[in-house]
Amino acid sequence: MKCVDDFRLHLGDKSLVPLVIGGMGVDISTPALALTAVRLGGIGHLSDAMMMDTAERYFGKPFSRDKLRANRGTLNQSDKSPIHFDLGAITEATRLHVRHAMESKRGEGLLFINCMEKLTMNAPRNTLQVRLTAALDAGIDGITLAAGLNHSSFHLISEHPRFRSAMLGIIVSSVRALQIFIRRNVKLNRLPDYIVVEGPLAGGHLGFGMDWAQYDLLTIHDEVQAYLKREDLSIPVVVAGGIFTGSDAVRFLERGAAGVQVATRFTIAQECGLPDAAKQAYLNATQNDIEVNQLSPTGYPMRMLRQTPAVNQGVRPNCELYGYILENGKCEYVTAYEQALADANSRDKLSVKDKICLCTHMRNYDVWTCGHNAWRLKETARPNDDGSYALPSAEHIFLDYQFSKNQQIRLP
């Protein structure tokens, strides 16, 4: 019986352990977590979700304070279209975070950054271009394009001197999405260096509708591989979503996948950016605690724990401070908040039931997104005498994926 270590992921001139830690925002995939994968010969991801807030906490820069001061004029307005990000601040924050992580690299693996198209920031094209460009400027090994179709993302950086040397990949949830992406970029003569095929069991935002359960990763993987073969395209395919053990990974590697991307098990790692209270909540979750809902104002379904603290909270929109998913001055949470405010009895605590303020609550780690198998996390950690669980290290989790066989999980 094989294990993950019997396979290798070939990217450029690199031969890697075929394990990729996904980029969980906001700084849930900390540099310490991502760099563990790099040190052990795999791939780790940073996340550029709410990058200015992340860099502010790491480097003491007043990015959020300055943004709030610049946009106080819209505090009591429904129309948030005057709110704009300082592109220079985005550049500085991204370069600081990425450069510091790259300077800390050890080992033969690669460090990538997950870049979400859906962070529209009231100027989708300009802000996305700045975020991508700044990451390349800072020396990131690769960029994974996520949370959207990313039709124009390659075009935004096609003039960058590292456009053809850095690793560039895309996350898709269907063969059709991949076909459209490749057609849109054919004139650039630049194929993606890798493709992440994400199935319906992944955590956080899903690339499916509420009919997600009708799809399965194996079928999508096979459709993508068949398309690549028909088109005579040699692009490594990395699968993601629901891969909980090394044996789960081997199943796909034997079927032709070049690698696997995993995240859920690393949410409880010591190096993960989540607070310990959140990690313990994951460890104590049952299967019934995990749901897919439509609370995200992005329009995508989202998988999370039912007891996530952000649910039904009536926090005032913090667009002036954050505003990462504003589009043309609008956000579905702002609309839901104002409706709840109009309907509320002055004696009641305000509750917004239809949407959550994703920016505020993600920043405060109160959106407990998770993969479908998060309820199994208790199988991967030892209980303490007080009922809590001892948290494993990222290295332990990585090595367990790499060397385990026969669906076994080695406890720390």
Side-chain angles (χ1 to χ4, degrees):
M1 181 172 290
K2 292 185 176 181
C3 66
V4 168
D5 194 57
D6 293 319
F7 301 83
R8 281 298 177 269
L9 168 58
H10 299 283
L11 286 181
D13 61 355
K14 289 280 189 177
S15 179
L16 304 156
V17 177
L19 277 174
V20 182
I21 300 181
M24 299 174 282
V26 174
D27 198 39
I28 294 173
S29 288
T30 60
L33 177 57
L35 291 172
T36 298
V38 177
R39 176 172 55 82
L40 296 173
I43 297 174
H45 271 92
L46 304 174
S47 169
D48 91 327
M50 299 180 71
M51 176 63 79
M52 290 200 299
D53 184 75
T54 297
E56 184 174 75
R57 285 182 281 122
Y58 275 104
F59 305 107
K61 298 285 186 175
F63 296 122
S64 298
R65 184 200 68 190
D66 291 348
K67 182 174 180 293
L68 176 61
R69 286 178 176 176
N71 294 290
R72 286 190 182 278
T74 63
L75 279 170
N76 298 312
Q77 297 178 8
S78 301
D79 180 10
K80 305 294 185 181
S81 57
I83 295 176
H84 289 287
F85 281 72
D86 182 329
L87 299 184
I90 297 172
T91 298
E92 182 183 3
T94 304
R95 286 178 178 172
L96 277 171
H97 191 54
V98 172
R99 187 173 291 129
H100 185 266
M102 289 297 295
E103 289 171 351
S104 302
K105 269 184 61 178
R106 302 292 183 273
E108 297 300 317
L110 295 173
L111 182 64
F112 289 177
I113 189 167
N114 181 287
C115 191
M116 299 173 62
E117 185 185 40
K118 202 61 180 177
L119 296 180
T120 48
M121 301 163 78
N122 250 350
R125 186 177 179 85
N126 291 345
T127 53
L128 181 58
Q129 184 175 38
V130 165
R131 288 154 50 208
L132 294 169
T133 299
L136 291 173
D137 290 344
I140 197 72
D141 290 324
I143 298 176
T144 300
L145 303 172
L149 295 174
N150 284 284
H151 290 161
S152 301
S153 296
F154 271 20
H155 292 268
L156 295 177
I157 53 175
S158 61
E159 300 301 317
H160 195 281
R162 298 190 65 223
F163 176 60
R164 299 189 183 278
S165 59
M167 293 286 122
L168 302 177
I170 183 169
I171 296 179
V172 298
S173 293
S174 69
V175 67
R176 182 174 179 274
L178 176 61
Q179 290 170 333
I180 294 172
F181 178 83
I182 289 179
R183 283 202 302 270
R184 290 290 182 92
N185 291 284
V186 67
K187 291 183 179 179
L188 292 175
N189 193 29
R190 172 63 161 97
L191 292 169
D193 296 292
Y194 59 97
I195 300 159
V196 179
V197 176
E198 187 173 82
L201 303 186
H205 290 101
L206 305 180
F208 303 86
M210 291 302 288
D211 61 348
W212 60 271
Q214 298 177 24
Y215 301 87
D216 71 275
L217 177 59
L218 190 62
T219 298
I220 302 168
H221 165 266
D222 289 351
E223 290 173 348
V224 167
Q225 294 282 24
Y227 163 71
L228 294 175
K229 184 176 181 179
R230 287 196 307 271
E231 298 297 319
D232 195 26
L233 298 175
S234 181
I235 306 174
V237 174
V238 175
V239 293
I243 299 167
F244 198 75
T245 68
S247 299
D248 294 339
V250 167
R251 179 189 180 202
F252 285 95
L253 294 170
E254 289 184 325
R255 203 174 180 92
V260 297
Q261 179 168 293
V262 292
T264 293
R265 283 185 59 185
F266 288 92
T267 59
I268 61 166
Q270 296 167 13
E271 295 86 349
C272 172
L274 286 169
D276 282 356
K279 295 175 184 178
Q280 295 297 330
Y282 286 118
L283 285 159
N284 284 295
T286 67
Q287 192 168 5
N288 290 333
D289 289 330
I290 297 167
E291 67 174 14
V292 175
N293 58 45
Q294 294 180 293
L295 294 175
S296 171
T298 64
Y300 288 101
M302 185 164 59
R303 179 174 280 114
M304 61 168 62
L305 295 187
R306 291 181 187 274
Q307 58 269 40
T308 185
V311 175
N312 294 334
Q313 294 298 308
V315 61
R316 183 182 64 79
N318 282 306
C319 304
E320 290 74 21
L321 188 62
Y322 305 125
Y324 286 89
I325 57 174
L326 283 173
E327 189 164 13
N328 299 319
K330 302 295 182 183
C331 172
E332 289 188 12
Y333 178 75
V334 175
T335 302
Y337 173 84
E338 291 182 339
Q339 186 61 55
L341 201 62
D343 296 342
N345 185 307
S346 60
R347 294 169 295 178
D348 296 335
K349 180 181 178 181
L350 189 66
S351 175
V352 179
K353 300 183 183 301
D354 297 328
K355 298 294 175 183
I356 60 175
C357 184
L358 199 59
C359 295
T360 300
H361 291 304
M362 285 295 290
R363 190 268 179 214
N364 294 333
Y365 300 107
D366 286 337
V367 182
W368 294 348
T369 58
C370 62
H372 179 78
N373 292 319
W375 63 277
R376 294 184 58 192
L377 284 169
K378 59 178 63 67
E379 300 173 25
T380 72
R382 294 187 184 276
N384 296 316
D385 292 340
D386 63 0
S388 65
Y389 287 84
L391 301 177
S393 68
E395 178 173 345
H396 172 86
I397 300 167
F398 189 97
L399 293 177
D400 184 57
Y401 267 114
Q402 185 176 355
F403 294 106
S404 65
K405 297 181 180 179
N406 198 30
Q407 290 294 342
Q408 293 180 345
I409 296 172
R410 183 172 59 91
L411 292 175

